[in-house]
Amino acid sequence: MFLLFQVDNRVPHPFPIHYIASNNLLLPCIVTQLPAMAKITEEVIIEKGTPKVKDLEQIKSLNLSRLGLKTKDLPVHLLSRCTNLEKLDLSGNMLQEMPVGLCLPSLRVLDCSNNDMEDITSLQSLTILEELNLENNIYLTINDQHKAIFLLPKLRIFSGKGIGPLANHIRHVTSGILKKRVVEIWEGSYGLPNPPTTESLAKVEKNFISDACFRVKYGPSSLSLYTKWRVEMIAKEHFHSLIQTKEKDNTQNIPTGIKDNGVCLQITLTPIKRMSTDVEADSQTGCTPKRARLSATTPTKASPRKSSRLQNTPQKADNPVTSPVRNAVRNLATPTKQQRTSLRESAKTTPQKRPTRTHSKTETNTPERTIKTQKTISAEPVCLQPLHVLQCHSKQDDPNDFETQIWACAFEPAADISDCGNWDSTVATCGGETVCFIDCETGNVLKKYKVPGEEFFSLAWSSLLMSVKGGVARSCSILAAAGKRGVVKLIHSRANLAFGEFRASRRATSILRFSPRQSSYLFTGGYDKKISLWDIGDIDQDYNFKVSQLLVLETSSTPLHLALPPSSADKHLITACDDGLLCFNIQLNTNTKKRTMQMEVTFPAYGKKDKTNNYRTIDGLCFLSDDVVASKSHMQGSIYLWSWSRTLASSSGKKKVSAEILAELQWSNTDIPYLSLNTCPSHGYLVCGDEKGRLWTYHVTDHMKANFKSGKTIPTTEVLEWPSPVRAGFGPVEGHSINSVAMNQNLRYLVALSDNNMVVVWKNVAS
């Protein structure tokens, strides 16, 4: 049975959502929040607890699930009175960690599934816990699973699975091996200072712990953070055990009546050799579970990692003739024919009547096509016709998947002018667990990159320099993609290689944008209400790279789109957010790393706000020329064209500035949010999809500019109807919301992404 999903059930990605597992699919579900239950009282605990008693001390089971609780909402003083509580259900809330000071001495079963848990160490006080459920906490990794198993000595069931052999390996085998290696580093390179002053001891401890964390390696790269965490813990324990031994010996040697007042003690102590643990050989394979996700692990500190190179990235080949790519673990694979459901319009497409064009044909000469944005706008006619409809983001390649939402697309930039004609038909799309690379001319999915459990929201292209030993550095196109895990993946598509990653945020990443001025500068925006500027730098022939954080911009809500003014891309950043449009100063000539907005741009539509509608959500933003900006609010029913230079000039240091509106373009009167617009500056072309699968196009020629400032809404140049692809045995597929559109440099192709897992490729037959 062919089932179409209603538009009203759509859950756009910038909403705060949680995920539940159902038939191996990740389905979004909004967590219900009950204001009345925001505070847990003694009466609420008694009501939710069993058996039905009057005293908290007699409760054995407590269900506080699906109440929209945050960590601060859990009353420690009341819960700690439940001394006989054996089972606690906190599933379906918004907990990031367990509250400090919580004491539940009898707790054996804890359900924290479907939360926002980030810190596992907050569970270590629950020493007799036997069963723990942490499913669908998207910020937890396999490293956190190992931490929980180690910290909870009696834990035997983790997220519904028995962990007997794994727990034994983590608690005894792995710990024994790591202890042995840490002690070897101490005995081989370190000793207690003489005299042991507070300052000298602190210095030795710091150097020893840092050295141990750097030198001790064990297990797969996906567990590197857990290994570092345990090594740091073991190193601290070993160092302090030596200090305690020395203090004890020193106390025994101090004459009666003489106290240790902090003065250096003149003694010499040889470190005691630790008893070797009877552990398995280092080469023996441990009982490490299969990785449920890639090694996109959460760093223990908020600062970015200086080196983002994965341990399984390409190494220099032994044979000079062999490419390093051949020795890499490849995440990209050329899909089979079954991975592309043949919904191509060229085979079965219901013909549509094309409306009469309203723009005038003023010029017929084809403009010179270059990589750089052209200053003159082409007035040649545009005639877009549907070419292919693909269903390439299906979960498990299921042709019946019409639920996966595809969020972003972008054409690969040419490395140089001579390369433009060869690669301008390659587009990258992201949605669900996959990133696809599509040839628009043939409709073939060239490559497909998949991360199980991920949901990609955004991507961006750039050209980075690859250094070659003994040769000249060459430019290569790199794609960055990110989503709900907050980890940016870096892919070199032409080399068929996903070569690295780095964590941009502990929250999901909503938008990515490379700087047109500095190709290695990447802006990332996320649900933590922050925009970060990263410098990825260049990459070498073995795909090594380093990333550093340059700026942190604080917003008041989730950033949805980022735009850099062509005339001042190194000075200003414009961001469209859930509650407005903000501008930031991004110049790097100051010492301020964290910054707030420079000004907020307001629009006439804000005056329409009432109790039920909010016109402040700016879900479309793009430059149409060096100065003209196109933006929209999803409930506005139109698109604003406004002048960036005039708006900036009128600010005069004010925090709120009214946009200098040039024109208002007619658009769909819909309340569906997050339908992005896009532009092709060289042709003065603007496109935005609607909730019915249609494309509203605007050719901003000199003829249209004559109507600017007329006070009247300018009608669309043409509305392209949904191509209605035919699904064998089910008939035409109805149009759904168009989440995003993209056009290549010369407007030969246009790609539109639907809300029901369809990529529609349009071709300009007039070009």
Side-chain angles (χ1 to χ4, degrees), residues 637-639 663-667 698 707 710-716:
S638 62
I639 298 171
E664 191 170 359
L665 309 179
Q666 178 187 2
W667 185 65
Y698 311 86
N707 294 324
S710 65
K712 297 180 180 180
T713 301
I714 299 176
T716 176

Side-chain angles (χ1 to χ4, degrees), residues 11-143:
V11 182
H13 75 265
F15 286 159
I17 58 177
H18 295 254
Y19 290 82
I20 58 175
S22 175
N23 298 327
N24 297 323
L25 302 179
L26 289 177
L27 303 178
C29 63
I30 298 178
V31 176
T32 304
Q33 298 187 33
L34 302 178
M37 305 303 295
K39 185 176 181 180
I40 301 299
T41 63
E42 182 174 350
E43 291 74 17
V44 171
I45 295 177
I46 292 176
E47 178 187 353
K48 298 287 184 179
T50 55
K52 298 301 180 182
V53 293
K54 295 183 179 180
D55 297 327
L56 297 180
E57 292 77 5
Q58 299 177 10
I59 295 177
K60 292 188 175 182
S61 179
L62 179 61
N63 187 346
L64 298 178
S65 63
R66 300 184 180 279
L67 298 179
L69 299 175
K70 297 183 179 180
T71 301
K72 63 181 181 180
D73 297 323
L74 294 178
V76 175
H77 66 290
L78 291 178
L79 291 175
S80 296
R81 287 173 53 190
C82 302
T83 53
N84 290 310
L85 185 65
E86 298 179 357
K87 184 176 181 181
L88 176 60
D89 188 353
L90 294 171
S91 61
N93 287 296
M94 296 182 290
L95 303 176
Q96 293 180 314
E97 60 182 1
M98 295 298 287
V100 178
L102 182 62
C103 180
L104 297 172
S106 302
L107 191 66
R108 287 179 167 80
V109 180
L110 175 63
D111 188 352
C112 286
S113 59
N114 293 292
N115 274 278
D116 296 330
M117 295 290 287
E118 296 180 356
D119 184 15
I120 289 297
T121 58
S122 61
L123 300 172
Q124 60 184 332
S125 63
L126 308 176
T127 54
I128 69 167
L129 198 66
E130 298 177 358
E131 184 174 343
L132 175 64
N133 190 352
L134 291 174
E135 287 185 313
N136 300 315
N137 283 270
I138 64 175
Y139 304 114
L140 298 182
T141 68
I142 192 173
N143 293 271

Side-chain angles (χ1 to χ4, degrees), residues 555-762:
T555 64
S556 55
S557 61
T558 303
L560 305 177
H561 296 282
L562 304 175
L564 294 157
S567 58
S568 57
D570 55 349
K571 297 180 180 179
H572 301 100
L573 174 72
I574 309 174
T575 176
C577 301
D578 259 329
D579 67 352
L581 192 145
L582 309 178
C583 301
F584 292 88
N585 176 8
I586 59 171
Q587 295 183 85
L588 298 177
N589 55 359
T590 63
N591 296 324
T592 306
K593 188 174 181 179
K594 292 186 178 181
R595 302 177 186 178
T596 56
M597 70 171 186
Q598 180 181 3
M599 66 177 183
E600 178 185 1
V601 179
T602 61
F603 299 92
Y606 288 4
K608 301 179 182 179
K609 179 180 178 181
D610 55 31
K611 294 182 179 180
T612 59
N613 295 328
N614 185 357
Y615 292 84
R616 296 184 63 87
T617 298
I618 307 298
D619 58 356
L621 176 69
C622 202
F623 271 84
L624 183 61
S625 68
D626 285 359
D627 183 57
V628 178
V629 189
S631 64
K632 76 174 183 70
S633 169
H634 67 278
M635 291 185 291
Q636 180 182 338
S638 62
I639 298 171
Y640 284 131
L641 297 182
W642 51 283
S643 171
W644 160 248
S645 61
R646 297 181 191 175
T647 303
L648 182 63
S650 64
S651 61
S652 301
K654 295 183 293 185
K655 284 296 183 180
K656 288 191 176 182
V657 183
S658 298
E660 291 291 323
I661 305 297
L662 301 175
E664 191 170 359
L665 309 179
Q666 178 187 2
W667 185 65
S668 174
N669 188 18
T670 178
D671 59 354
I672 302 296
Y674 312 117
L675 307 182
S676 304
L677 58 83
N678 212 330
T679 62
C680 181
S682 63
H683 281 64
Y685 210 69
L686 188 152
V687 180
C688 187
D690 66 9
E691 76 282 6
K692 297 180 181 179
R694 300 173 300 183
L695 299 178
W696 296 62
T697 67
Y698 311 86
H699 199 174
V700 186
T701 61
D702 293 336
H703 175 73
M704 180 181 287
K705 289 180 179 179
N707 294 324
F708 283 3
K709 291 292 185 181
S710 65
K712 297 180 180 180
T713 301
I714 299 176
T716 176
T717 302
E718 182 179 14
V719 176
L720 304 177
E721 297 293 334
W722 173 252
S724 298
V726 177
R727 184 167 180 249
F730 295 91
V733 180
E734 297 179 4
H736 274 234
S737 300
I738 300 297
N739 290 336
S740 182
V741 294
M743 293 161 278
N744 65 344
Q745 172 73 24
N746 54 24
L747 194 52
R748 186 180 180 188
Y749 301 102
L750 181 149
V751 173
L753 309 180
S754 78
D755 199 44
N756 61 338
N757 189 25
M758 290 189 182
V759 178
V760 185
V761 179
W762 299 74

